[in-house]
Amino acid sequence: MDKNIKDFRLFRLRSTRSIIKSGYRLYLDNFRKIFRSTWLVAIVYALASGILMNILTTLLPNYFISMMVSAYAQDGAEGNPTMNLHLLFVGIALVFTIVSALLAAFGFTLLAEHRDTESMSGATKWYGKLDKGILVKTLATWLSMLVFCALYFAIGNIANVYGQQYLSRIAVMALVGIWTVLFFVILPPVMLWMVKYIMSAKGKTKEKQHLLRYWGSSIAVSLVTAIVTYILTLLTELPAFVLFSANIVSQAGALQGDPTGMPDYMSWLNIVVFSLAGFIQAYIYLSSLFPFYYLYGSTEAQEKERKELPSAPADL
């Protein structure tokens, strides 16, 4: 068989390298169809990113200064503004999670079509193509992941606070390091389960235990995909990062009484730049779904082969 022939079938055994390669190849080969089906939701994602990033550049300096003030305050509960800021950050995280889930649902709809027909067609409606069942499952998994991450880091923060009272600084740093590594070890199989739940034709995942067999491959795919996503984001959104840093420095100086040095239209410029960066980020974000799509297909094919093995001797 010619190695140059592209085999985009979902349910076949693949190595980790082949999973990643096939995922990005499928995305690039069908980019025009993907763009026609997702341009509107990408605009929604971009506008939400622009507005939320503009809010963050305004709030973050005030947040860190409020945290430092409350740390030295005698009565932290009285006149402490950090609680309102925490709630606002929770709201921002919730909105961003919902918008990200909406974008991902459009991507999973296209992948579900490819799962069933081994091809992707163009958009059938002006707003693109979206399966309602996939949307509900994606929202459920994305919100569950948000709750999981919030609880995980809340437990880690509590352990850090109490650990500083009873443990040495080195022991606390080691505890935080172990807790952080544990999070990144647990996350890949959880992400694989999420994709399995969304892509399952019936929305059922009875064989949750078999995901542990693919812990290594899920970590490898997650690591490579994260590196590729980070590099692409860094290269395409460098102006937005520079503008974000400049705004943070300016706002921090303003809180200390220095002039901001920013023009009056800076807020609108922030939204425009961050929105443009968000539109590009939407398609980088969509590309990261495709390697996990083939990771799911490879694990399903391997499980099917595993179930058929015991019956093989009886047929001889």
Side-chain angles (χ1 to χ4, degrees), residues 211-266:
L211 297 178
L212 298 178
R213 300 192 191 113
Y214 308 101
W215 208 323
S217 58
S218 63
I219 290 177
V221 172
S222 299
L223 181 61
V224 174
T225 303
I227 292 173
V228 171
T229 302
Y230 174 77
I231 292 174
L232 291 176
T233 301
L234 190 63
L235 292 176
T236 57
E237 301 191 15
L238 186 59
F241 289 142
V242 172
L243 184 60
F244 179 79
S245 301
N247 275 274
I248 292 293
V249 173
S250 175
Q251 292 293 332
L255 290 174
Q256 297 175 359
D258 298 332
T260 60
M262 294 290 186
D264 296 335
Y265 56 82
M266 197 64 197

Side-chain angles (χ1 to χ4, degrees), residues 13-53:
L13 295 178
R14 284 182 168 88
S15 64
T16 301
R17 179 181 177 182
S18 179
I19 287 170
I20 298 169
K21 186 177 180 180
S22 298
Y24 284 112
R25 270 190 172 184
L26 179 65
Y27 179 77
L28 293 175
D29 286 3
N30 293 273
F31 182 76
R32 289 185 179 181
K33 296 176 182 178
I34 295 170
F35 185 84
R36 288 198 298 267
S37 299
T38 59
W39 65 270
L40 182 59
V41 69
I43 291 176
V44 173
Y45 176 88
L47 291 175
S49 298
I51 295 172
L52 294 178
M53 287 296 292

